[in-house]
Amino acid sequence: VFMMQLFPNGWAHYLIGGLIIGVGVSLMYVFTGRTTGMSSVFTATWSYVSNRPFFQQARYVGTRNWRLVLALGVLLGAALWWALLGPAGGVGTQLPWWQLLAGGILVGYGARMSDGCTSGHGICGLASLSPSSLVAVLTFLATAIATANVVAALGGH
């Protein structure tokens, strides 16, 4: 009963997804020595269209080609998922578009402030024993737990 409360839509797809991500990130690192945080992919891709000094740093310009291929692979993978299983495998969101947009902006801003996104720090950073990633992940978790408790106390879901 407790597992059904935690995972009302089942848990197997989370396990499979986690294994696929872990294997993909591991293979990327083993065969190329590169880590695959998605906010860096986003920033490196912007280096194609923006001349701002931030986006023209060597770490972005020098890696933007393979990062763009990675981003396209993520998009193609999502499109394949959609084509085979429909939107999110049948599980959608009821949030209005403006909340999704606001959340995306806040997450993007936070990813830049912490020099990486949750997936980059949590998957790649922790695996490479990065102290700054450990601090970032602990901050992400503490913030998420506090936010969930505040929302629940206010009657949210």
Side-chain angles (χ1 to χ4, degrees):
V1 174
F2 179 69
M3 287 298 281
M4 285 304 296
Q5 289 175 332
L6 284 177
F7 303 103
N9 298 313
W11 56 268
H13 58 287
Y14 297 115
L15 176 62
I16 293 167
L19 290 172
I20 290 170
I21 290 169
V23 168
V25 166
S26 298
L27 290 173
M28 180 72 161
Y29 187 76
V30 167
F31 289 115
T32 69
R34 297 174 175 158
T35 57
T36 56
M38 291 311 293
S39 65
S40 297
V41 168
F42 182 74
T43 304
T45 302
W46 270 104
S47 72
Y48 282 111
V49 295
S50 175
N51 288 326
R52 291 185 172 264
F54 178 80
F55 295 112
Q56 294 305 313
Q57 295 177 60
R59 68 180 176 152
Y60 298 128
V61 174
T63 63
R64 65 187 181 183
N65 291 335
W66 73 262
R67 290 184 191 276
L68 182 60
V69 171
L70 177 64
L72 292 174
V74 169
L75 291 173
L76 290 174
L80 180 62
W81 176 274
W82 184 287
L84 295 176
L85 300 173
V91 179
T93 181
Q94 303 302 317
L95 294 175
W97 69 268
W98 64 268
Q99 285 182 345
L100 294 172
L101 178 64
I105 291 170
L106 290 172
V107 167
Y109 183 73
R112 282 298 88 217
M113 284 183 59
S114 66
D115 199 25
C117 59
T118 52
S119 63
H121 283 296
I123 298 168
C124 301
L126 289 180
S128 63
L129 304 177
S130 167
S132 63
S133 287
L134 177 60
V135 171
V137 168
L138 292 175
T139 301
F140 298 151
L141 286 174
T143 303
I145 291 167
T147 301
N149 281 290
V150 168
V151 169
L154 294 173
H157 299 287

